[in-house]
Amino acid sequence: MTSSSSVLAFESFRTIDLRGQHLTPAGLKNAMPRAETTTEVASDAVAGIIADVRARGFDALSELAARFDGVEQDHPLVPREAMKAALAQLDPAIREALEESIRRARLFAEAQRPQNTELRIGPGANVSQNWLPVGRVGLYVPGGLAVYPSSVVMNVVPAQAAGVRSLAVASPPQKEFSGLPHPTILAAAELLGIEEVYAMGGAQAIAAFAYGIPAAGSNPELAPVDVVTGPGNVYVATAKRLVKGVVGIDAEAGPTEIAILADGGANPRLIAADLISQAEHDPNAASVLVTDSPELAERVREELGLQVPATRHSARVETALSGAQSGTILVDDLDQGIAVCNAYGAEHLEIQTAGAAADAARITSAGAVFVGNYSPVSLGDYCSGSNHVLPTAGTAAFSSGLNVTTFMHAIQVINYDRAALQEVTGHVVALSRAEDLPAHGDAVSIRFES
């Protein structure tokens, strides 16, 4: 691909011009660039996979591994010897980078642990809330077009910080590695002390975690989990949606997104590089620029024309940048730009404006916000200490990135003595009658009958 052909191609890095429009919040959401592929498209196929895994267990997993991954397997559990060997053979520079990523992520995760709450409402009237880890979690690490040892770190570290005792990791089997997950994935799991890793991917992995698979012959049980986390493609996101309620999930983390809010003084070279960095994940990745400067938008397009041909995965990047999910959104001013960013609810939002910190403080919907020229998304992907498993497709409006509380649940404890209950008996009885549930009041008043 020549530079000139790339410049021509990036005419398809489309522009949505919202200048002069006064859209309602609903109108803004409808105007946002989104991928054409949605979870609804995959629902029937995923529902069938989930039903098959529930009905046929390991036999279904084996057939699906052969169909989707081209590997033969009797059981997806990775031998511990393979994990130890992967760590022993890991490039020392990669090991050092993983160790530093783990150290920073653990510091931030441990600082997130919520405090228990104890409150004396009145004499003899005590309520408390106690945070406890869930018993078992299933952590999904995607495969596909890239290798994600960083996702092992991002999933495992907060679960460990929460105090979860049983952790299982799943990652797709790779034909070139004898049906096991990529060795770097195995090395990262071993580095973190994970003993239970499964070579399984896609919707079938989510189903196996959610419902478990009983022991069959020489195949040991795959115990069900309480919470499933981790990013993945549309099939993984759909599977998580379908099993939600059977298990807890973090968020429906689908193809990655980056949005960049930039003013006319921003550096187009940096913006182009950051858009490309997320576009290389997946042809369905979203890269969006929000700016009040048409001149900056044009310079960014020119920079894309220069930088895309030089990047290793140029074809994949160009597909993502040319998709319906990507492009430039032109706005009247930064106020409108911030409104657009809040309507979009990006997985990753960079703020490259003159008042970046103040503008970042006005963001109410994003998975993570990266402030200024020296906080690129790539930093958060690997070594900022934050977590890169984040909500996508606008779900950041109501869900959060992976954190320690994802792996915890709160139990409320009520401890009243006789006098404290007697003090509110009349209120309980009155409210129970108002709701036409008189037995509720009777259950209290009977305690004071002579």
Side-chain angles (χ1 to χ4, degrees), residues 204-231:
Q204 57 269 31
I206 306 304
F209 276 154
Y211 294 100
I213 298 178
S218 60
N219 289 333
E221 175 193 24
L222 196 169
V225 304
D226 300 304
V227 172
V228 173
T229 71

Side-chain angles (χ1 to χ4, degrees), residues 30-319:
N30 290 334
M32 296 300 97
R34 298 292 186 194
E36 295 172 348
T37 300
T38 67
T39 52
E40 285 75 17
V41 174
S43 289
D44 288 345
V46 169
I49 290 171
I50 291 173
D52 192 24
V53 171
R54 292 187 69 185
R56 298 195 302 120
F58 292 118
D59 288 341
L61 287 183
S62 295
E63 290 181 16
L64 292 165
R67 186 198 314 174
F68 293 126
D69 305 301
V71 304
E72 301 292 330
Q73 63 177 207
D74 295 322
H75 193 284
L77 184 65
V78 175
R80 191 66 193 280
E81 295 74 20
M83 296 171 60
K84 293 179 179 178
L87 181 57
Q89 297 165 16
L90 185 65
D91 182 322
I94 296 175
R95 177 168 182 157
E96 183 179 359
L98 282 171
E99 289 173 340
E100 181 62 16
S101 178
I102 291 167
R103 186 186 74 83
R104 291 176 181 239
R106 202 178 299 284
L107 285 171
F108 190 42
E110 289 176 351
Q112 297 168 14
R113 286 183 59 91
Q115 298 297 311
N116 292 341
T117 302
E118 296 183 9
L119 182 64
R120 184 174 180 263
I121 299 291
N126 301 288
V127 292
S128 60
Q129 178 169 275
N130 301 324
W131 285 91
L132 299 171
V134 301
R136 176 170 165 81
V137 298
L139 311 173
Y140 187 79
V141 177
L145 297 174
V147 183
Y148 294 104
S150 57
S151 286
V152 181
V153 176
M154 300 296 172
N155 275 281
V156 169
V157 169
Q160 290 177 332
V164 178
R165 295 191 177 276
S166 179
L167 294 85
V169 171
S171 191
Q174 306 289 322
K175 189 173 183 179
E176 58 268 43
F177 299 110
S178 302
L180 298 179
H182 194 283
T184 312
I185 300 294
L186 299 182
E190 179 69 16
L191 194 60
L192 285 157
I194 302 301
E195 299 180 359
E196 195 178 345
V197 177
Y198 294 93
M200 56 185 186
Q204 57 269 31
I206 306 304
F209 276 154
Y211 294 100
I213 298 178
S218 60
N219 289 333
E221 175 193 24
L222 196 169
V225 304
D226 300 304
V227 172
V228 173
T229 71
N233 60 20
V234 66
Y235 295 96
V236 171
T238 301
K240 289 168 72 176
R241 173 179 289 183
L242 294 179
V243 302
K244 184 179 181 181
V246 177
V247 293
I249 66 170
D250 50 345
E252 296 176 25
T256 192
E257 303 164 345
I258 181 174
I260 302 176
L261 176 65
D263 58 20
N267 187 326
R269 190 162 175 260
L270 299 183
I271 292 172
D274 292 350
L275 293 171
I276 290 169
S277 73
Q278 295 306 296
E280 77 172 342
H281 276 282
D282 189 303
N284 293 315
S287 294
V288 176
L289 169 63
V290 181
T291 183
D292 59 353
S293 170
E295 294 78 17
L296 176 71
E298 184 55 35
R299 293 198 300 271
V300 168
R301 186 176 285 107
E302 292 170 359
E303 278 291 338
L304 290 173
L306 295 172
Q307 292 186 37
V308 170
T311 196
R312 178 173 180 177
H313 303 295
S314 58
R316 185 190 310 163
V317 167
E318 185 162 350
T319 299

